[in-house]
Amino acid sequence: MWVLHQKLTPASAGRKLNQDHAWDDYITPEVLEAHPDYLAVSRDGTRSKLGKGVKYCTTNTELVDVFAQGVTRWLDGNPNQRTASISASDGGGFCQCPRCQPLETKDPHGRPSYVLALLDFYNRVARIVAQRHPDRILGALVYYNYMY
């Protein structure tokens, strides 16, 4: 029923809601090398490393635009895909810059939670992508240290 409510065809028909880890998919390493400010900042001030599992500064407006452009390009090139994932890379290492820190909260167990930062990022990307692809659905994971 949920699949039908979301206007998706069942996975048995060859379609699914894409929600896998996808941050490695939409911005090239060359762009990240040219714009290290797109990368997450750790508590000690160092930037996230390039490569698999990259983390971004989700409050960087330019990064949000570039990421959304990457998703839009992917959807343009895959017209038969009804959905695209915008899920964060697996693992920790979320941004600790002065703009991102206020979005960090504590979960019920007293551990850091990044749900506000991720949902804000997901929503801003979705609004931009929807301008060109209002009929497509973006999927994203909400779990681990961004579940509460």
Side-chain angles (χ1 to χ4, degrees):
M1 293 304 297
W2 183 85
V3 169
L4 294 175
H5 178 75
Q6 296 298 325
K7 299 182 176 107
L8 299 170
T9 42
S12 62
R15 291 238 172 118
K16 68 173 189 151
L17 177 63
N18 292 321
Q19 60 190 11
D20 314 349
H21 301 291
W23 279 12
D24 297 317
D25 298 343
Y26 301 116
I27 301 178
T28 66
E30 294 78 22
V31 169
L32 294 174
E33 285 176 17
H35 296 277
D37 55 307
Y38 292 176
L39 299 171
V41 177
S42 67
R43 291 194 193 280
D44 68 6
T46 59
R47 293 274 176 190
S48 178
K49 301 282 187 235
L50 293 176
K52 190 116 176 102
V54 68
K55 291 292 188 292
Y56 298 126
C57 176
T58 59
T59 59
N60 183 316
T61 302
E62 189 175 312
L63 170 271
V64 172
D65 290 339
V66 169
F67 188 92
Q69 290 169 16
V71 175
T72 300
R73 272 192 307 278
W74 187 86
L75 289 169
D76 289 346
N78 293 277
N80 293 327
Q81 290 291 320
R82 181 148 170 68
T83 69
S85 177
I86 58 171
S87 292
S89 299
D90 206 8
F94 291 99
C95 192
Q96 300 293 312
C97 79
R99 288 186 320 266
C100 289
Q101 274 186 339
L103 298 174
E104 180 184 321
T105 60
K106 297 287 182 194
D107 73 16
H109 309 287
R111 295 180 298 234
S113 175
Y114 303 97
V115 70
L116 297 177
L118 271 289
L119 292 179
D120 176 67
F121 176 79
Y122 292 160
N123 281 310
R124 289 190 295 137
V125 168
R127 284 186 199 103
I128 295 167
V129 173
Q131 292 173 11
R132 180 160 175 124
H133 292 289
D135 59 330
R136 307 288 183 91
I137 297 171
L138 301 182
L141 297 170
V142 177
Y143 79 116
Y144 180 49
N145 56 0
Y146 49 102
M147 178 167 57
Y148 295 101

